[in-house]
Amino acid sequence: MLSEEAARPWEQDERAVPPPAELIARPPGEIRMEARDLDMYYGDFQALKGVNIAVPAQQITALIGPSGCGKSSFLRCLNRMNDTMEGTRIEGLVQLDGEDIYAKGVDVVELRKRVGMVFQTPNPFPMSIYDNIAYGPRLHGHTDREGLDEVVEQSLRQAALWDEVKDKLRQSAFGLSGGQQQRLCIARVLAVAPEVLLMDEPCRALDPTATFRIEELMLELMANYTIVIVTHNMYQASRVSQHTGFFMLGEMIEFGPTVDIFENPRDRRTDDYVRGRFG
Amino acid sequence: MLRSRQAFDEQLTQLHQRLLQMGSFVEAMLEKSMRSLTQQDVNLAREVICADDIADEMDLDIEMHCMRLLALQQPMSKDLRLIGTVMKVIADVERIGDYSVDIARTAIKLAGREYFKPLVDIPHMGEIVCAMLRRALEALVANDLEIVTEVIERDDEVDKMWYDLLDELEVIMQERPETVPQAVSLLLVARYLERVADHTVNVAERVAYMVTGEFKALAPTHRSDYQLPDENPTG
């Protein structure tokens, strides 16, 4: 739980300089993750410029914008996936429940357990359906057989896949359809009990029916998880999310309730983008 | 081949034009219905009654056009607001067409007998209401919030005329019972005009929504705390 003090340090500490109010996107309710004045560089190239965003707990936040706008780079900052790329560097603050995830001594493996990621293309491991789900818990020292069975079933149920695979748990995950594979990947993330789910265009490789199932699943998962989704599909953002952020050229141009972004955006650039005038 | 956004823009322009066509058509119906009443012109009144079928067709045609754009283009932002506005506005404009028919029918009913007094206030009210409709449509063309305010302000004038006419005709009917059949019909015409003015206010409010993205009940009569003159304990 994020305390008020942690959420607005500048209100407690007179020395801290608050960023301009209009740049702080602060939806009502509990805030799970927050970025402040976040800059990110790939070598000399600045991919993110002063991004400010507060991700509300147990809601779906969508990030939209043209290709190369920085939305996926931003998503990867939220669980330090960018650390794995040489030459990346960030400035600014990213917090999970009020704590700086880039602070010294932060256990990155533990962070990625709390903030899991689902990728564009389903990427099951070359092993059985069961072992795909059990992989994470085992990595975190969970070896008790009955306990693992329970985690596998529960995760697959949460990912709305259990009924389709319960009779073939020992078969290769590669035998599943694309949509099933993506739900398997979601189940795999859920198996380690994350708090936040980051989804980087999770429906990109899926047909409309499989896309619809993933969207339904996201709406179900929202009750227990905080979800941030990057999507190229504006209609997907408008269907599933409660808040939307529009990125362009590394800046977050506008953030607000999804209905406002799509019905009455404040910024001309957001208006042009959602109306299909560029991008 | 047209790029899809360009094609969509052209369809939106076309939608806008069709709405204006329908607006002008109904405005002409209203103007003719009032003329048929003042000049006791039965033929003109019949023309208005026949024209209503065309107005209804225009309404359906525009609604279908909107539905098609919603289904195929999934419009957002200003585009979405324009289409939503058009769908609401055509309902108001179509209703104004129906009131014009009501006025025309009254004209036919009252034709052939001299009015118990020369018609002055009702034609004047008609002129104001026609002008309100015209201005509301102009606001739509020009996305002009000043015209929206002007239309809404004029509604107060129409409301006042309606209440004055109600008082005046009540007195006449009490004093000269033989005028009752004609006076009741004229009272209805005044009521139709007052309703038409309310529909033009709806149109103006929708234009404001289309332009600003915020829907507010701008007319005092559309607010929940509005009191009719005779409901006001002090007045």
Side-chain angles (χ1 to χ4, degrees):
Chain A
M1 176 78 89
L2 189 69
S3 67
E4 277 297 306
E5 291 80 5
R8 298 182 179 83
W10 56 85
E11 286 175 9
Q12 317 304 323
D13 180 356
E14 286 176 6
R15 289 163 304 174
V17 179
E22 68 274 14
L23 290 180
I24 293 287
R26 179 164 291 282
E30 188 190 342
I31 300 304
R32 172 98 327 132
M33 294 204 78
E34 180 157 12
R36 276 214 302 274
D37 293 334
L38 183 67
D39 296 328
M40 198 204 110
Y41 301 85
Y42 292 113
D44 292 335
F45 174 70
Q46 186 170 2
L48 293 175
K49 298 169 192 163
V51 173
N52 285 284
I53 187 172
V55 175
Q58 281 159 285
Q59 291 191 30
I60 299 173
T61 299
L63 306 177
I64 60 168
S67 297
C69 67
K71 57 192 188 298
S72 290
S73 298
F74 175 74
L75 194 74
R76 288 196 297 269
C77 288
L78 297 180
N79 74 345
R80 295 185 57 173
M81 289 292 277
N82 288 324
D83 289 13
T84 57
M85 294 173 71
E86 212 172 312
T88 61
R89 149 174 88 82
I90 76 145
E91 285 165 17
L93 186 64
V94 182
Q95 291 180 321
L96 171 62
D97 289 339
E99 287 175 12
D100 182 0
I101 65 168
Y102 284 87
K104 273 185 189 161
V106 167
D107 178 349
V108 178
V109 175
E110 179 61 21
L111 170 71
R112 293 190 191 137
K113 181 170 166 267
R114 292 177 70 193
V115 185
M117 186 173 264
V118 177
F119 298 89
Q120 289 178 6
T121 313
N123 56 347
F125 301 142
M127 50 181 78
S128 72
I129 293 169
Y130 184 98
D131 288 339
N132 259 278
I133 310 297
Y135 187 87
R138 279 180 182 141
L139 200 69
H140 289 282
H142 200 134
T143 50
D144 150 50
R145 180 63 204 234
E146 278 182 19
L148 272 180
D149 284 353
E150 203 179 307
V151 169
V152 169
E153 178 174 342
Q154 205 188 358
S155 307
L156 287 168
R157 279 190 189 281
Q158 280 193 68
L161 191 58
W162 175 251
D163 288 341
E164 293 163 54
V165 300
K166 65 184 175 197
D167 299 324
K168 48 181 179 184
L169 293 174
R170 297 291 164 194
Q171 291 178 20
S172 166
F174 291 142
L176 299 173
S177 71
Q180 287 174 323
Q181 286 187 11
Q182 192 59 306
R183 277 181 282 145
L184 180 79
C185 293
I186 292 172
R188 194 172 63 195
V189 174
L190 299 181
V192 296
E195 294 158 43
V196 180
L197 278 180
L198 307 178
M199 301 178 128
D200 191 0
E201 291 192 62
C203 302
R204 186 179 184 151
L206 305 183
D207 69 19
T209 312
T211 297
F212 180 68
R213 297 220 51 181
I214 299 283
E215 288 179 5
E216 267 189 327
L217 177 60
M218 287 167 66
L219 290 167
E220 281 166 26
L221 292 173
M222 190 176 85
N224 298 309
Y225 304 91
T226 298
I227 299 175
V228 185
I229 175 176
V230 160
T231 177
H232 263 124
N233 181 342
M234 281 190 300
Y235 307 112
Q236 179 165 63
S238 67
R239 282 192 296 264
V240 301
S241 72
Q242 288 73 51
H243 288 87
T244 296
F246 169 60
F247 278 76
M248 201 174 98
L249 299 171
E251 285 180 65
M252 204 189 61
I253 305 296
E254 188 167 351
F255 181 86
T258 297
V259 67
D260 291 351
I261 298 291
F262 290 107
E263 195 184 323
N264 190 19
R266 301 285 161 209
D267 192 285
R268 173 73 192 270
R269 292 164 291 182
T270 317
D271 186 70
D272 283 347
Y273 183 72
V274 299
R275 293 169 69 210
R277 291 190 169 271
F278 75 85
Chain B
M1 201 172 127
L2 285 178
R3 283 179 56 232
S4 67
R5 176 68 225 191
Q6 201 184 338
F8 181 38
D9 278 343
E10 283 186 10
Q11 284 172 317
L12 287 176
T13 309
Q14 223 180 64
L15 182 68
H16 210 250
Q17 281 166 351
R18 283 200 211 179
L19 174 65
L20 291 178
Q21 258 171 12
M22 180 183 174
S24 317
F25 186 82
V26 169
E27 186 195 323
M29 280 173 70
L30 180 64
E31 187 273 323
K32 282 180 188 170
S33 72
M34 284 309 295
R35 199 144 39 93
S36 73
L37 183 82
T38 46
Q39 298 175 358
Q40 299 196 307
D41 184 338
V42 174
N43 288 335
L44 194 57
R46 290 210 176 103
E47 199 183 303
V48 172
I49 294 167
C50 293
D52 193 41
D53 287 345
I54 299 171
D56 290 349
E57 262 175 45
M58 287 172 149
D59 173 36
L60 263 181
D61 179 55
I62 294 172
E63 187 179 342
M64 287 303 113
H65 192 156
C66 290
M67 292 300 285
R68 221 168 296 134
L69 290 178
L70 288 173
L72 301 179
Q73 300 285 350
Q74 292 106 33
M76 296 286 190
S77 186
K78 278 180 206 150
D79 305 329
L80 178 65
R81 299 205 304 268
L82 169 64
I83 296 172
T85 298
V86 170
M87 286 185 83
K88 289 291 286 184
V89 165
I90 52 173
D92 283 306
V93 173
E94 190 274 334
R95 198 78 190 88
I96 293 173
D98 291 345
Y99 281 122
S100 308
V101 169
D102 291 335
I103 294 170
R105 287 193 197 287
T106 309
I108 292 172
K109 188 179 159 195
L110 298 181
R113 278 195 203 165
E114 206 180 325
Y115 291 129
F116 60 81
K117 76 177 207 62
L119 296 189
V120 178
D121 294 334
I122 290 180
H124 180 50
M125 197 172 167
E127 278 163 24
I128 293 174
V129 172
C130 277
M132 282 173 73
L133 176 58
R134 193 162 46 246
R135 292 295 275 166
L137 295 170
E138 281 168 13
L140 188 74
V141 178
N143 289 339
D144 189 328
L145 292 175
E146 275 179 31
I147 307 181
V148 165
T149 312
E150 178 199 308
V151 169
I152 288 166
E153 282 171 0
R154 287 214 95 175
D155 188 45
D156 292 344
E157 202 179 327
V158 173
D159 285 343
K160 189 176 178 306
M161 293 180 91
W162 154 243
Y163 285 114
D164 288 349
L165 265 164
L166 184 63
D167 290 344
E168 188 194 338
L169 288 170
E170 247 178 39
V171 172
I172 294 177
M173 284 189 278
Q174 279 165 349
E175 288 173 354
R176 296 163 57 197
E178 74 281 5
T179 63
V180 167
Q182 218 179 55
V184 166
S185 293
L186 290 174
L187 200 57
L188 280 173
V189 169
R191 178 62 173 166
Y192 298 146
L193 290 172
E194 188 271 332
R195 293 298 300 135
V196 170
D198 286 347
H199 285 284
T200 67
V201 168
N202 289 349
V203 173
E205 283 182 337
R206 288 288 154 183
V207 172
Y209 164 73
M210 186 176 76
V211 175
T212 64
E214 285 172 28
F215 187 76
K216 286 185 200 152
L218 299 171
T221 46
H222 285 185
R223 290 198 284 267
S224 56
D225 56 355
Y226 178 74
Q227 284 182 318
L228 289 171
D230 50 3
E231 278 179 351
N232 188 342
T234 55

